[in-house]
Amino acid sequence: MMGNEKKKINLTIDGIQVEAHEGEMVLEAARRAGIDIPTLCYHPAVGPIGSCRVCVVEIENGRGLPASCVTPVREGMVVRTNTEAVREARRTVVELILASHPQDCLQCERNGKCELQELAMRLGIRESRFHREKEHRESDTSSVALVRDPEKCILCGRCVKMCSETQTVGALGFAYRGTDALVTPMFERGLAESKCVSCGQCAKICPVGAIHEKEEWQKVADMISDPDLHVVVQVAPAVRAAIGEEFGIPAGTPVTGKLATALKRLGFDAVFDTQFTADLTIMEEGTELLERMKTKGPLPLVTSCSPGWIRYAETFHPEFIPNISSCKSPQQMMGAVIKTYYADKAGIDPDKIASISVMPCTAKKFECARPEMNGSGRRDVDVVLTTRELARMIRQAGIRFEELPDGEFDAPLGISTGAATIFGVTGGVMEAALRTVYEIVMKKPLGKVEFLQVRGMDGIKEATIDLGGTKVRVAVAHGLSNASKLLKHIKETGETYHFIEVMACPGGCIMGGGQPRSVDSDIAVKRAAALYTEDRSMEMRKSHENPAVARLYEEFLQKPGSDIAHKLLHTTYESVDEAAAASRKEAM
Amino acid sequence: MASSVEAKRSKLESKGGECKCHGKLPDDRFAKLHDIIEEHKDERGSLIPVLHEAQQLFGCLPEDVQKQVAKGLDVPESEVYGVATFYSLFSLKPKGRWIVNVCLGTACYVKGAADCLEALKKELGVDLGGTSKDGLFTLQGVRCVGACALAPVVVIDDTVYAKVKPEDIKRILAEHVEANAKEAHAS
């Protein structure tokens, strides 16, 4: 691609001839050549920062020990990555970081999966020569989704770069300087008071235990033990594309069957699949799209599955609120269906049902706590666990995930199609919607099910679909900076689209804030492949073919867009500024 | 006029770096801030100049001022806060009428600047960075002011006090108030 146009550069790293391209950093060139220079602040998702100095190297005829992550390659450069001076410098850097880092690793959320711990181990640190009293800092538990523990923060800057550049939220920033420096929301307020949208991308790339999801898995384990509760679980598509990584299964291996078995062995009374309501979402949202195209507005219709995106729109782009689909996310649709339709069918008092969901997402914790998410007359989803939390539950229970036989989700809310599977990857909701909308409008089966134009990891994707003469213009954005770019483009140029899919996380749900942490630069592509493979292997690949969804309409919801469907499956949004102004007025 | 504003300001409490003067002062400073932001809006790197002018206008950078700057310049609030806390020239808390800078450079230090600082802390009832209860003085430490021959040096606003002894502090402060009181009344 781009690399081919760039000038080739030859350099020597540890005696190995390496070919790089202009603009590439020494670190990247070295890693391609199989030399794994240790890093701490560097993360492929945000690129070089150059703050930690762990990746220092020696360069012949150069001064000092430059950080390889921010040193561009030059023709004829001779680099040494493993000299005594380099090793000593790296050890000193890590010792200094450790000197201001708490030593309570055994109680830390990241124990055993901490990049700093690994680095200390790898560099062979056996003593701590430096001691510094560090002021105690309270952890921030104000958010329903995320916990920040500033005491553990090593000031690498990953989260700040992610929050401000990749997500253009800017909730986190550096404040003060020198030994007083810290990462914090404005005025050292809690995250809940900031513009944080709970996407959790910060938690996913934090190298230590300074930001993580609010842990609720112990609570769920207790609920399962309670004989009075009927504990129901639903699990999102993206979870099956990644949870295997937590148990040493290679990334990109779908583990759907093992996941269903694990959930049953954990003792959940019913194991449902969020994919069922993903299919349901397509029925509702597809209907909404066709309706809006008929009545001319408001268009473009924008998807509403991603709660991080919803919060972002409410906070930063309230002018687009009328464009957002009124459909609840599949998680919340499932919550509402469980405590009404399922409760009724199974003859269980909905107040005795604990509705749990396993999500790749931290913003889902925020979503389920929104006051309007009570279509059943009570809170529809009680607890949201991230993929990482479920992995902890599985480990605690002594279940050897990697050896589990394949199981199945429970009917009827566990039946789904391939269209629902791909909801977990950028472009997937769009593709699923197109598969259904095409067949409804054209009244004939699709020749080729795949819409490759909306696949892939480009930040913004566009396509035009011909629906019997009507040209439907669609766009897909993932990562909030791309969403923002697309919305600004629409505002400035007036360009018309009919349908837009937005996912808050770069890559979509497979790269959600609650997914297993990874420093693999190809991880998004691997996880996407898992979902596309699964889709191909499914018998049914279009949402409107889902017989269980059809039965749900027949027995309960009547038809897409009906009054009862609206009551249970649709919602409203509000501008954060206006809501705040209204509540101020009320208080006065 | 200024004195009444100062008197009001001295009553305002500041807690945890949060200034609460907004809303209580009957002035049009937020409209002026709007003009400042508009003027610099399209320049690159305009955040620091805008904060600088905002601080001249408000005397400090309270939360609402930072929020308006963030919104106006389309910069995240956390970034504005980061800049406002990074530079020692910016202050989140209202400062006193006069700034007392105690030189803590090497020469002044060996000549007893630490004792002068202690005397000032005691006399003003504040720590470094603090503002006296009457709102008159803010105590700051500075590194070398380049007047080592006069060590130890205390600078109050633009007035340099040379070869200061701890026992002089009370008198110096009183003198300063005396000398500048007229000016305050005149303005």
Side-chain angles (χ1 to χ4, degrees), chain A residues 170 174 176-177 187-189, chain B residues 17 63 66 78 81-82 85-86:
Chain A
F174 280 106
Y176 302 96
R177 62 172 155 173
F187 274 95
E188 288 145 75
R189 292 281 172 69
Chain B
E63 182 165 343
Q66 290 187 48
S78 60
Y81 184 64
T85 55
F86 184 89

Side-chain angles (χ1 to χ4, degrees), chain A residues 209-372:
Chain A
I211 312 182
H212 53 83
E213 66 271 56
K214 190 164 265 183
E215 288 188 275
E216 292 170 285
W217 58 283
Q218 308 266 19
K219 189 156 96 187
V220 172
D222 291 347
M223 284 171 160
I224 292 173
S225 310
D226 184 340
D228 290 338
L229 282 178
H230 183 79
V231 188
V232 178
V233 69
Q234 57 167 312
V235 55
V239 176
R240 67 207 67 189
I243 194 166
E245 294 165 33
E246 289 274 341
F247 301 97
I249 297 171
T253 316
V255 291
T256 316
K258 290 185 194 307
L259 180 57
T261 304
L263 290 167
K264 288 187 175 168
R265 292 207 183 169
L266 280 172
F268 287 104
D269 297 305
V271 177
F272 294 144
D273 195 344
T274 314
Q275 289 189 180
F276 171 86
T277 34
D279 283 330
L280 186 61
T281 300
I282 290 301
M283 299 309 291
E284 292 293 322
E285 205 162 278
T287 306
E288 189 180 6
L289 175 65
L290 294 173
E291 192 67 37
R292 287 201 193 190
M293 282 173 65
K294 218 183 286 166
T295 60
K296 303 255 178 280
L299 288 171
L301 177 70
V302 188
T303 58
S304 57
C305 302
S306 165
W309 147 243
I310 293 297
R311 196 59 180 164
Y312 183 77
E314 289 179 320
T315 309
F316 297 95
H317 293 284
E319 69 277 16
F320 279 94
I321 287 178
N323 295 83
I324 299 175
S325 163
S326 63
C327 289
K328 284 180 185 170
S329 71
Q331 160 176 287
Q332 292 304 138
M333 285 196 185
M334 180 62 94
V337 169
I338 284 173
K339 291 200 181 178
T340 53
Y341 176 71
Y342 169 74
D344 194 43
K345 264 191 109 122
I348 300 166
D349 175 2
D351 285 324
K352 289 274 189 300
I353 294 178
S355 166
I356 315 300
S357 69
V358 182
M359 294 284 139
C361 183
T362 48
K364 290 280 173 195
K365 287 180 185 267
F366 172 80
E367 183 185 49
C368 83
R370 289 178 69 125
E372 64 272 22

Side-chain angles (χ1 to χ4, degrees), chain A residues 164 169-178 184-189 193-195 488 577, chain B residues 16-18 61-63 66-67 71 74 76-78 80-83 85-88 92:
Chain A
S164 57
V169 169
L172 292 173
F174 280 106
Y176 302 96
R177 62 172 155 173
T184 173
M186 193 197 200
F187 274 95
E188 288 145 75
R189 292 281 172 69
E193 283 183 68
S194 76
K195 294 192 170 165
K488 279 183 184 154
D577 276 352
Chain B
E18 174 196 349
L61 296 172
E63 182 165 343
Q66 290 187 48
K67 279 189 169 164
K71 202 167 185 182
D74 197 19
E77 291 176 351
S78 60
V80 175
Y81 184 64
V83 170
T85 55
F86 184 89
Y87 294 101
S88 54
L92 306 188

